[in-house]
Amino acid sequence: MLRTAGLRPTRQRVALAELLYSKGNRHVSAEVLHEEAEAADVPVSLATVYNTLHQFTQAGLLREVAVEGTKTYFDTNTDDHHHFFIEGENKVVDIPGTGVTMASLPEAPEGMEVVRVDVVVRVRRKDRKG
């Protein structure tokens, strides 16, 4: 998979890829992946995890999902789809199927083209009181 994406399969990249993709499609932050690497005795720094996630994203192996200024998740499902962000739980989940419809998009600025539209719908659990 790494070679096909144009990435050299270093020991750390292979180990991180195994952690990322062995559990099916999911959304993971760099911090969570770093914790999983430590638990699996994979010696890797948080900076290396960030760099690797960004390399995987640039190679098309991951999708970056920005939910807040500094909070980013990486999605192993690279198909076009949108997300719910569950506030208070810091969890990202896919919006199923065609759950979001775009009536129209603005014209891109001159000399530019629209690459992708990402929609993040922020939700929270209802207060069950009253």
Side-chain angles (χ1 to χ4, degrees), residues 1-2 13-26 28 33 36 53 56-57 60-63 74-78:
M1 175 180 75
L2 295 174
R13 283 181 184 155
V14 169
L16 291 174
E18 286 175 356
L19 289 170
L20 275 169
Y21 296 101
S22 65
K23 299 177 183 177
N25 284 333
R26 65 190 192 126
V28 64
L33 184 59
E36 290 178 7
L53 289 170
F56 284 11
T57 300
L61 299 174
L62 293 172
R63 259 182 88 166
F74 295 87
D75 190 350
T76 58
N77 177 2
T78 58

Side-chain angles (χ1 to χ4, degrees), residues 75-96:
D75 190 350
T76 58
N77 177 2
T78 58
D79 295 338
D80 283 338
H81 65 284
H82 304 290
H83 298 94
F84 286 116
F85 175 68
I86 304 172
E87 293 183 345
E89 297 179 26
N90 290 331
K91 185 175 179 184
V92 175
V93 295
D94 291 344
I95 294 176

Side-chain angles (χ1 to χ4, degrees), residues 32-114:
V32 167
L33 184 59
H34 182 250
E35 290 172 9
E36 290 178 7
E38 285 183 332
D41 290 325
V42 175
V44 64
S45 70
L46 182 57
T48 298
V49 171
Y50 270 106
N51 290 337
T52 302
L53 289 170
H54 287 292
Q55 290 164 354
F56 284 11
T57 300
Q58 289 173 346
L61 299 174
L62 293 172
R63 259 182 88 166
E64 192 170 357
V65 181
V67 294
E68 294 188 79
T70 59
K71 194 64 175 170
T72 301
Y73 293 85
F74 295 87
D75 190 350
T76 58
N77 177 2
T78 58
D79 295 338
D80 283 338
H81 65 284
H82 304 290
H83 298 94
F84 286 116
F85 175 68
I86 304 172
E87 293 183 345
E89 297 179 26
N90 290 331
K91 185 175 179 184
V92 175
V93 295
D94 291 344
I95 294 176
T98 57
V100 175
T101 305
M102 302 295 247
S104 66
L105 291 175
E107 285 286 326
E110 189 172 332
M112 304 199 136
E113 64 182 351
V114 174

